[in-house]
Amino acid sequence: MTRWLAPLALGASLALGGCGLHPLYAGGSNGVVANALATVEVAPIAGQSGWLVRNALNDRIGAAGKAPSRYRLEVELDDQITGFGVRTDNSVTRERRTLRARYRLVEQDKGTVVLDATAGSDAGIDVVTSEYAVIAAEQSALERLTEELADQIVARVALYAAHNGKPPQAAQ
C-alpha cells in the first residue's frame, strides 16, 4: 500500500499546481494583497458592535499609518437577538444572536463603489436563571461574531485586491 502512496502524492501535487491555485497572501507583508489592504481606511461604524467590528478590521488590515488611504471601507451592521425555545410558562430557554454586515469598498479618488457585499454570522446562547450570566454570554457571543465578520470582510477585500482590482469570477 505504501508503494502506491508516493506516486499518488506526486500526481496530486502536479494536478493541484496546474489548476491555477496560488496563495492569497503570497509575498507576505510586501505582497500585492498586503499592500492593497494597507491602503484601506475603515470608516467609523455606529454602536458597540460597530466599534468591535472596526477594531477587528483594523487589526486584520494592519493599515494604521502604513500608506495613504486609497479606499474607504463603509460597514452597516444589523445586530439582533431572537429568543426561541419557549417553555410552557413562556420563558425563553435559548437565544440566537445574529450579526450581519453590508459593506462597501469605495475608491476615494472617484467616490466609486468597487465592492458591495454582505457578511454575517450567528451564535446560540443558552438562557439560564442568572441574568448576569445571560448578559455575559450575549456579550461574549457578540465579540466572537465581530471577529468572524471581520475575517469574512477582509477575506473578500483581499480577494478583490488579489484580482488586481477586478471582482473575482465565480467558480465554474
Side-chain angles (χ1 to χ4, degrees):
M1 181 167 165
T2 55
R3 59 187 156 152
W4 297 102
L5 191 56
L8 182 63
L10 179 63
S13 65
L14 290 174
L16 185 59
C19 73
L21 291 178
H22 55 83
L24 182 60
Y25 293 101
S29 62
N30 295 322
V32 173
V33 172
N35 287 332
L37 288 177
T39 65
V40 176
E41 170 195 342
V42 182
I45 310 167
Q48 178 192 14
S49 56
W51 183 81
L52 289 168
V53 169
R54 184 169 191 255
N55 284 344
L57 287 168
N58 282 329
D59 288 346
R60 282 154 182 75
I61 290 173
K66 282 190 177 180
S69 57
R70 179 177 172 202
Y71 297 101
R72 183 178 64 255
L73 184 62
E74 300 172 347
V75 181
E76 297 170 11
L77 295 176
D78 180 26
D79 181 15
Q80 294 184 356
I81 299 177
T82 307
F84 62 97
V86 181
R87 293 188 182 125
T88 56
D89 64 352
N90 286 333
S91 62
V92 174
T93 60
R94 190 102 171 120
E95 291 178 340
R96 175 181 291 144
R97 185 159 205 163
T98 306
L99 186 62
R100 303 276 181 252
R102 177 172 183 213
Y103 58 96
R104 288 175 294 283
L105 188 63
V106 179
E107 198 168 3
Q108 293 199 72
D109 295 347
K110 302 174 188 172
T112 308
V113 175
V114 295
L115 179 64
D116 189 349
T118 59
S121 192
D122 62 353
I125 303 165
D126 287 327
V127 177
V128 295
T129 55
S130 168
E131 193 172 324
Y132 174 79
V134 173
I135 292 170
E138 290 173 350
Q139 182 64 28
S140 178
L142 176 62
E143 291 168 6
R144 283 191 316 276
L145 293 174
T146 58
E147 297 290 325
E148 290 176 25
L149 213 61
D151 286 340
Q152 291 176 26
I153 293 171
V154 170
R156 184 64 174 88
V157 172
L159 273 175
Y160 175 81
H163 288 87
N164 298 321
K166 298 178 188 135
Q169 300 297 317
Q172 306 260 337

